[in-house]
Amino acid sequence: GENVEQHPSTLSVQEGDSAVIKCTYSDSASNYFPWYKQELGKGPQLIIDIRSNVGEKKDQRIAVTLNKTAKHFSLHITETQPEDSAVYFCAASGADTGRRALTFGSGTRLQVQP
Amino acid sequence: NAGVTQTPKFRVLKTGQSMTLLCAQDMNHEYMYWYRQDPGMGLRLIHYSVGEGTTAKGEVPDGYNVSRLKKQNFLLGLESAAPSQTSVYFCACRVVSYNEQFFGPGTRLTVL
C-alpha cells in the first residue's frame, strides 16, 4: 500500500518568515495530494490540494509543489503569522479507486513565534 | 448545517467494556470514514463505507466493527476495549465526485 513520510516533525519560525514542510510518497499511482491543518482539539481541515497533472498550486500565502518523478510534494507558507501555528498533515490518495481513502504523513507541528 | 458531528467528545472505558461512537453528517455525502490518530503516527484508516448498507476494512480494522444503516450515520463499535485502543477517533465524509474529505471534531477515548 501507500506510504507517506513527512518532515520535519516540528518547525519553529519567526513571524514573517517562510515555512516549508516536505512529504514523500511511495505509490506512483497516487494522484491526489491534500494538505490539512489541525488546530488543538479540532479535526483536520483542508487548506490546499494538488492533483498529479499539476506541478504547483498557490492560494494567497500558501503554495504546494509536486514532483511526480521524485514522488515528493511540499507545502510552502510565506509571511507566517501566529495563527498559522498548528499541526499540518500531508496525505496521498488515488491508487485504491474503490475507497479513495487518504494515507497521511505523521504530521508537522509548526510554531510561529511573534 | 452542522457538517460532521461526533458523539461523544470524550470517553473513559475500562478494559473489556464496549461502546459505540456515532458519526453524523448532514452533507449528503456518500463516502464515510473512521480514522484513529495516535501521537507521531498521523491518521490511520480503520473502516470505511461507500454507501448506505456497505462497509469495508481499512488499514487497522482489528477490534472494531462498523455499521451504516442510514446514509447520514456511521457507527464505530468496540466490542471489548483494550488499552491499545486509547486514541483520538475522527470521522470524515466526502462526495463520490470530489476528493476532499470533511472531518468531524473527534472523540478522545481512553481505555484503562
Side-chain angles (χ1 to χ4, degrees):
Chain A
E2 176 66 277
N3 182 50
V4 177
E5 295 192 357
Q6 183 173 345
H7 300 279
S9 56
T10 60
L11 180 59
S12 182
V13 299
Q14 291 294 126
E15 183 177 358
D17 288 349
S18 295
V20 180
I21 303 170
K22 298 181 179 182
C23 289
T24 60
Y25 62 99
S26 61
D27 192 340
S28 57
S30 290
N31 58 14
Y32 174 67
F33 306 93
W35 285 89
Y36 282 83
K37 177 183 181 181
Q38 186 178 27
E39 297 177 334
L40 194 62
K42 296 184 179 180
Q45 187 169 17
L46 180 73
I47 55 171
I48 195 167
D49 57 13
I50 193 168
R51 298 183 185 278
S52 58
N53 59 348
V54 176
E56 183 174 0
K57 184 177 179 181
K58 190 174 182 180
D59 183 3
Q60 299 183 331
R61 296 186 298 109
I62 295 173
V64 57
T65 59
L66 172 65
N67 184 327
K68 286 177 58 180
T69 303
K71 289 190 284 188
H72 67 70
F73 56 113
S74 300
L75 177 71
H76 305 254
I77 305 174
T78 59
E79 302 173 16
T80 54
Q81 301 167 3
E83 51 265 37
D84 294 330
S85 296
V87 178
Y88 291 81
F89 291 96
C90 62
S93 175
D96 54 344
T97 55
R99 64 185 192 184
R100 299 282 187 187
L102 295 171
T103 300
F104 284 85
S106 54
T108 296
R109 182 173 299 279
L110 173 64
Q111 191 163 14
V112 180
Q113 307 286 354
Chain B
N1 188 348
V4 183
T5 58
Q6 292 184 233
T7 309
K9 289 184 170 52
F10 303 94
R11 185 72 184 268
V12 178
L13 290 178
K14 295 181 180 178
T15 297
Q17 288 185 318
S18 63
M19 78 163 295
T20 300
L21 284 68
L22 171 64
C23 175
Q25 52 106 352
D26 61 4
M27 306 168 79
N28 202 34
H29 286 185
E30 293 85 0
Y31 286 22
M32 296 188 75
Y33 306 87
W34 275 108
Y35 293 90
R36 60 177 288 173
Q37 183 177 34
D38 301 296
M41 299 184 72
L43 287 82
R44 293 180 292 167
L45 182 66
I46 304 171
H47 284 281
Y48 66 99
S49 168
V50 300
E52 181 178 324
T54 69
T55 64
K57 295 180 180 180
E59 301 172 55
V60 289
D62 293 345
Y64 305 96
N65 56 76
V66 288
S67 65
R68 187 144 178 227
L69 300 179
K70 295 182 180 181
K71 185 177 183 179
Q72 63 267 32
N73 296 338
F74 196 26
L75 279 64
L76 178 70
L78 287 73
E79 290 187 350
S80 180
S84 60
Q85 293 177 304
T86 293
S87 188
V88 181
Y89 293 86
F90 287 99
C91 173
C93 65
R94 60 175 282 257
V95 294
V96 172
S97 56
Y98 191 62
N99 288 90
E100 181 180 357
Q101 292 188 20
F102 295 84
F103 284 82
T107 294
R108 183 174 294 275
L109 175 66
T110 302
V111 183
L112 302 175

